[in-house]
Amino acid sequence: MTNKQVERALARTWPYGTHRAYEAGLRRAAAAWFAGKGAQTASGRPYCLARHDMWRGNIILPSVADYVAAEHARREGDNGFPLHQWVHHGLSSQAMVFNLIGALIVRDDLAPLQVAMERAGIAWPAGTARASFEHSDCATFNEDPSHPTSIDVVVEGEGGNLYIESKMVERGFGGCSVFADGDCEGMNPYPDQPQTCYLHHIGRKYWPMMAEMGFGQGGPVCPFASYYQFYREVMFAIASGGRFVLLHDARNPAFLKSAPGQPPRGLWPFLIESIPADLRDRVGRITMQSVVAAIRESGRHNDWIDEFSSKYGV
């Protein structure tokens, strides 16, 4: 056998699924859903609507689209409600969370989400909980109002809020733009060289908070280079007295994957190890599938949950 043949044979024995295969399945499901609606899609991309302003066509329930549009209009300004650049894309995580949780918000029925959280060991806020999309804050880290920490969903209530970041087809958490732009070598400034970080230089409070919370980020490579969004949102949730929750598609191998006889792998188990042990109960994870299951069990959303499952191939 040639080296190339050996390589291909070994590749077939890799025990984990690939992101490429996962994404291809989602694209097929989205394309079929748009085709069934007679939607106008982008040339060569039948899984994406033709234009950004067609985003309503990516939302299952008109009442949810109306709610999102009203919130977007109401919250113009510094505490804005951003519609992501790709919200018209069939694989948009923002559109997915609008579809999955939006009906629960509009119908004032968060009980299925509570069930999914509690099954995952995540404490639900006490009292009367309320949820909203696109929670933004620039004060905690002294950020520019045009670039605040923004989290997809917040569930507010007594005893601490839940800050939910949704991921579907994404390959990871967002990294630091200063590094991505080539303006930083990616050297770790923590714990004793924060002055070498541009973000610290302009007044951001990420590194002091990381030190205050007891993060032990050793090693030569800056943890923000690739995982800036993760640490920013986790620290924000904890500093706000709440919990950080990742909502992800269980099929996406980037966040969690397993194989017989092997420990779980993926970004989630890897990054959890870097959080101080006494703070790990302040972070949690649920899957899109677990929320769908709880919604089905409720019997109160049968008019749309099957369509959600079809749209996302669940």
Side-chain angles (χ1 to χ4, degrees), residues 14-249:
W14 185 245
Y16 304 104
T18 67
H19 190 279
R20 178 177 294 182
Y22 156 69
E23 184 170 348
L26 277 182
R27 288 183 176 187
R28 288 191 296 269
W33 190 79
F34 284 139
K37 298 290 184 181
Q40 180 185 356
T41 55
S43 176
R45 293 185 296 172
Y47 47 83
C48 180
L49 293 170
R51 301 188 311 275
H52 180 274
D53 62 4
M54 299 170 67
W55 65 269
R56 280 176 171 267
N58 203 19
I59 307 302
I60 294 170
L61 291 178
S63 59
V64 172
D66 290 343
Y67 168 78
V68 169
E71 283 295 286
H72 183 260
R74 183 179 69 84
R75 288 165 52 184
E76 285 187 320
D78 288 347
N79 189 32
F81 186 114
L83 286 175
H84 296 176
Q85 178 183 0
W86 293 102
V87 69
H88 62 303
H89 196 297
L91 278 60
S92 160
S93 59
Q94 186 182 50
M96 181 275 286
V97 81
F98 287 166
N99 281 317
L100 184 62
I101 297 179
L104 306 183
I105 294 175
V106 168
R107 297 178 179 182
D108 194 23
D109 181 18
L110 296 179
L113 183 60
Q114 178 179 355
V115 168
M117 291 284 184
E118 291 178 342
R119 284 175 175 169
I122 301 166
W124 187 257
T128 302
R130 59 190 184 278
S132 59
F133 293 122
E134 296 298 330
H135 180 84
S136 298
D137 176 280
C138 60
T140 299
F141 296 120
N142 192 35
E143 294 165 322
D144 188 309
S146 63
H147 293 91
T149 294
S150 182
I151 299 181
D152 295 323
V153 184
V154 60
V155 179
E156 299 176 274
E158 298 172 15
N161 300 340
L162 301 179
Y163 297 94
I164 305 170
E165 180 64 31
S166 66
K167 299 290 186 185
M168 193 167 68
V169 77
E170 288 89 344
R171 293 171 173 82
F173 295 96
C176 176
S177 62
V178 180
F179 174 73
D181 289 344
D183 294 321
C184 173
E185 69 279 2
M187 180 185 72
N188 190 358
Y190 185 80
D192 56 356
Q193 300 183 73
Q195 72 280 359
T196 64
C197 172
Y198 170 78
L199 296 175
H200 185 82
H201 177 75
I202 62 174
R204 303 292 187 264
K205 303 300 183 182
Y206 306 124
W207 297 114
M209 187 168 291
M210 183 166 273
E212 181 180 329
M213 290 184 176
F215 280 78
Q217 290 292 347
V221 179
C222 177
F224 286 179
S226 295
Y227 311 121
Y228 172 57
Q229 182 191 35
F230 176 80
Y231 289 111
R232 181 187 192 186
E233 293 185 354
V234 166
M235 289 193 296
F236 169 77
I238 293 171
S240 301
R243 291 173 171 80
F244 171 83
V245 180
L246 172 66
L247 165 62
H248 71 101
D249 188 335

